[in-house]
Amino acid sequence: MRGMLQFTMDLFEGLGSTPAPAAAPPRRPRKKAPAPVPPAAPAPSPVGPVDPRPAVPLADTLTLANFTHPQATREVVLGSARVAYEFKRGQRKTIGFLVGAEGLSVRAPRWVTLRDVDAAVREKADWILRKLAETQQRNARVEATRIAWEDGAEFPFLGELVVIRLDPKHGFASVGGTLDPAVEGGGPRTLRLAVAQNAAPSQIRDAAQAWLMRQARKLFIERLDHFAPLLGVSWQKLSLSNAATRWGSASADGSIRLNWRLIHFRLPVIDYVVAHELAHLRVMDHSHRFWETVESVVPDYGVLRQQLKDEAVPRWG
């Protein structure tokens, strides 16, 4: 508040102020003052009347963007944004910052004062605001991709659009559905699911997910078998995950976990994640040596990694 008051005073300081008056000259005999001449009327403006309204309403300049974590316990104003963040203490040595789908979370050691926490948040203001804005934009893109589970629903499969058609007359007993061949002209391919026309949205969603997970497992195994010899490693077990914020993980015993939703992306992006996890079987950290290992089999991993971050995955509602 003190900073805002100081800003206000600085903004209006000098308005209506006048310089100190000069010293009065010697008095002379008083003469009769001439009759005052009325001021001339102002010349008309060649560009029309002047709009008395300000260019930007003052209220608009004071409006703050809001970023509020649902478990927020502290609040701070950073630049033009009000940030309400989740704050917790724990067994750690430094103050940590995490910007996720829900907003900003701050973790601090038990011995750090709240004043130091506030100072650290302000010091990271540029990074925090940038990440909050990026996350907000990403969430908006994801929300725009929410799938309406019905006949004609669409979603990407290996980077290409697929449209669902409910086709209960076909058995598809072993696989639950089938993907029609690509059509001429580049239109979306048709995924035919053995689901009744009056099926509930959840039934259609479950049938589509089951088909996608089968395709994901088959493809992931193929890509693991392709990259493992190139990296000189051996994987032992594949598990499919449904994590909200993690695409994969690797354990020292050769176990690999991959998010089945990767099947929405193009094959080069999937290859990057597969190579990333296999590289951890050689280097169990993210050191320079690790990224060199990834680069040895996926030279453009940086571009693919960014695509993985930028592209919105369909929201399964």
Side-chain angles (χ1 to χ4, degrees), residues 33-45:
V37 178
S45 172

Side-chain angles (χ1 to χ4, degrees), residues 136-218:
Q136 189 178 66
Q137 293 168 5
R138 181 179 178 84
N139 289 343
R141 293 197 305 268
V142 170
E143 190 62 30
T145 64
R146 182 185 292 274
I147 303 171
W149 293 106
E150 59 189 9
D151 186 70
E154 297 178 338
F155 56 78
F157 171 68
L158 292 177
E160 297 182 357
L161 197 61
V162 167
V163 59
I164 289 178
R165 293 301 175 199
L166 306 184
D167 199 350
K169 294 182 180 179
H170 290 270
F172 309 133
S174 60
V175 294
T178 186
L179 185 63
D180 288 354
V183 297
E184 295 184 3
R189 299 175 69 180
T190 299
L191 173 61
R192 301 186 183 278
L193 297 177
V195 179
Q197 291 288 342
N198 61 350
S202 59
Q203 293 176 291
I204 302 172
R205 179 199 62 208
D206 292 346
Q209 179 174 335
W211 185 85
L212 285 171
M213 293 180 71
R214 282 191 292 272
Q215 308 309 308
R217 176 175 289 278
K218 178 181 176 181

Side-chain angles (χ1 to χ4, degrees), residues 277-289:
E277 300 310 331
L278 286 174
H280 275 310
L281 300 184
R282 286 181 54 182
V283 186
M284 294 300 290
D285 56 35
H286 287 103
S287 63
H288 183 68
R289 188 165 70 93

Side-chain angles (χ1 to χ4, degrees), residues 1-305:
M1 179 63 72
R2 180 178 180 181
M4 184 173 293
L5 289 174
Q6 183 62 50
F7 169 76
T8 305
M9 288 189 290
D10 292 344
L11 183 65
F12 291 99
E13 184 178 7
L15 290 182
S17 300
T18 57
R27 296 177 64 94
R28 293 185 177 182
R30 182 176 298 177
K31 296 181 179 180
K32 185 176 182 181
V37 178
S45 172
V47 295
V50 177
D51 188 347
R53 296 172 299 175
V56 179
L58 181 60
D60 290 352
T61 65
L62 302 179
T63 301
L64 299 178
N66 276 289
F67 299 100
T68 303
H69 193 290
Q71 279 79 49
T73 54
R74 292 187 64 77
E75 182 178 294
V76 63
V77 174
L78 302 178
S80 60
R82 179 179 289 108
V83 179
Y85 62 91
E86 178 191 36
F87 174 68
K88 290 185 178 181
R89 296 186 181 274
Q91 297 293 334
R92 53 181 301 127
K93 297 181 179 179
T94 60
I95 300 174
F97 304 87
L98 174 65
V99 175
E102 294 183 325
L104 173 65
S105 297
V106 180
R107 302 289 185 268
R110 300 185 186 281
W111 50 268
V112 173
T113 67
L114 292 178
R115 177 179 297 179
D116 289 338
V117 172
D118 290 342
V121 171
R122 291 189 174 90
E123 184 178 348
K124 297 282 288 186
D126 290 345
W127 179 87
I128 290 171
L129 293 178
R130 184 175 73 254
K131 290 300 180 182
L132 286 172
E134 291 174 356
T135 301
Q136 189 178 66
Q137 293 168 5
R138 181 179 178 84
N139 289 343
R141 293 197 305 268
V142 170
E143 190 62 30
T145 64
R146 182 185 292 274
I147 303 171
W149 293 106
E150 59 189 9
D151 186 70
E154 297 178 338
F155 56 78
F157 171 68
L158 292 177
E160 297 182 357
L161 197 61
V162 167
V163 59
I164 289 178
R165 293 301 175 199
L166 306 184
D167 199 350
K169 294 182 180 179
H170 290 270
F172 309 133
S174 60
V175 294
T178 186
L179 185 63
D180 288 354
V183 297
E184 295 184 3
R189 299 175 69 180
T190 299
L191 173 61
R192 301 186 183 278
L193 297 177
V195 179
Q197 291 288 342
N198 61 350
S202 59
Q203 293 176 291
I204 302 172
R205 179 199 62 208
D206 292 346
Q209 179 174 335
W211 185 85
L212 285 171
M213 293 180 71
R214 282 191 292 272
Q215 308 309 308
R217 176 175 289 278
K218 178 181 176 181
L219 179 64
F220 294 167
I221 290 175
E222 290 177 358
R223 305 319 290 166
L224 286 167
D225 287 342
H226 171 75
F227 283 106
L230 299 178
L231 290 167
V233 298
S234 177
W235 66 278
Q236 302 298 323
K237 177 185 176 183
L238 170 65
S239 300
L240 298 184
S241 80
N242 193 31
T245 59
R246 199 169 190 177
W247 290 116
S249 63
S251 301
D253 63 0
S255 298
I256 302 291
R257 290 178 64 85
L258 294 172
N259 194 316
W260 68 266
R261 295 175 190 267
L262 284 167
I263 202 66
H264 290 302
F265 292 91
R266 298 182 305 112
L267 182 58
V269 177
I270 297 173
D271 280 350
Y272 157 67
V273 178
V274 170
H276 182 117
E277 300 310 331
L278 286 174
H280 275 310
L281 300 184
R282 286 181 54 182
V283 186
M284 294 300 290
D285 56 35
H286 287 103
S287 63
H288 183 68
R289 188 165 70 93
F290 167 80
W291 291 112
E292 285 183 337
T293 304
V294 175
E295 188 178 26
S296 68
V297 291
V298 184
D300 57 345
Y301 77 88
V303 175
L304 299 172
R305 184 186 183 199

